[in-house]
Amino acid sequence: MSKPKVATVWLDGCSGCHMSFLDMDERLLALADRMELVYSPLVDAKEYPPAVDIALVEGAVGNEEQARFVRLMRERTRTFVSLGDCAVTSNILAYRNPFPVAAIIERVFAETAEAPVQPGPEVPALLPEARPVHEVIPVDFFVPGCPPSADLIHHVLDELLAGRQPAIKNRFG
Ligand code: SF4
């Protein structure tokens, strides 16, 4: 029987949630026997594959490309997990939300840049606000923390791979 397909994704976040994922250390070896990591910053996969069983998503949704991507993920994923406070609440990414996008672009690409530039078309357009993932697509489980502990991430994956519901006491970290 094939192993459940697992993906991890990094949106607007600092990668700290993925560092915590790696902090599972030797437990990763046991998990690797029970799942196939098909898409992640940790593996060399270019396209989000179909029929993913479990996706863990770090970070808020901050731009149009990320919004399109999580919608595609949702279509291709059975169980969707918001991993960490940025995904669950927008967390520090929401600090930009009171300011107009044009003012943020000016601040980052002109006022504070050594050599002012205009972002080209290859830079995805910012959404008016950084949004928690569940405001863009339905989310099945919320894992709090900044970052969530390796123990909590392990509990969530262990339970989901066993076909059980993880016991998460608090949605907010
Ligand atoms: S929740 Fe904390 S550790 Fe995770 S991406 Fe956001 S800032 Fe980084």
Side-chain angles (χ1 to χ4, degrees):
M1 203 171 100
S2 62
K3 298 175 188 173
K5 293 181 183 173
V6 174
T8 77
V9 169
W10 177 5
L11 303 177
D12 265 6
C14 73
S15 89
C17 292
H18 274 83
M19 293 301 107
S20 206
F21 182 96
L22 291 175
D23 277 345
M24 286 192 282
D25 295 330
E26 68 276 5
R27 288 175 291 182
L28 286 167
L29 298 176
L31 286 173
D33 286 339
R34 300 166 59 200
M35 67 185 207
E36 183 187 359
L37 191 61
V38 291
Y39 186 92
S40 172
L42 309 171
V43 300
D44 186 26
K46 307 292 187 223
E47 304 238 337
Y48 195 84
V52 172
D53 294 290
I54 302 165
L56 307 176
V57 180
E58 167 191 321
V61 182
N63 64 46
E64 290 177 358
E65 183 178 285
Q66 291 167 344
R68 277 194 299 274
F69 184 63
V70 291
R71 289 190 186 104
L72 173 80
M73 286 179 68
R74 181 70 271 189
E75 287 171 12
R76 297 181 177 183
T77 305
R78 182 166 51 82
T79 301
F80 206 104
V81 180
S82 276
L83 179 69
D85 288 347
C86 291
V88 175
T89 69
S90 292
N91 198 25
I92 55 172
L93 286 312
Y95 287 8
R96 78 162 173 90
N97 290 354
F99 304 100
V101 165
I104 295 166
I105 299 290
E106 174 72 12
R107 181 86 178 140
V108 171
F109 287 93
E111 289 174 18
T112 59
E114 280 184 17
V117 291
Q118 274 298 315
E122 68 279 5
V123 178
L126 286 179
L127 296 175
E129 295 185 343
R131 300 165 71 189
V133 176
H134 67 275
E135 289 188 4
V136 181
I137 49 147
V139 167
D140 301 299
F141 295 99
F142 298 87
V143 182
C146 182
S149 68
D151 287 346
L152 182 56
I153 297 171
H154 181 263
H155 168 74
V156 168
L157 263 179
D158 190 41
E159 291 294 281
L160 289 176
L161 288 170
R164 298 187 293 261
Q165 301 250 333
I168 303 169
K169 295 192 186 105
N170 190 349
R171 173 162 159 179
F172 302 106

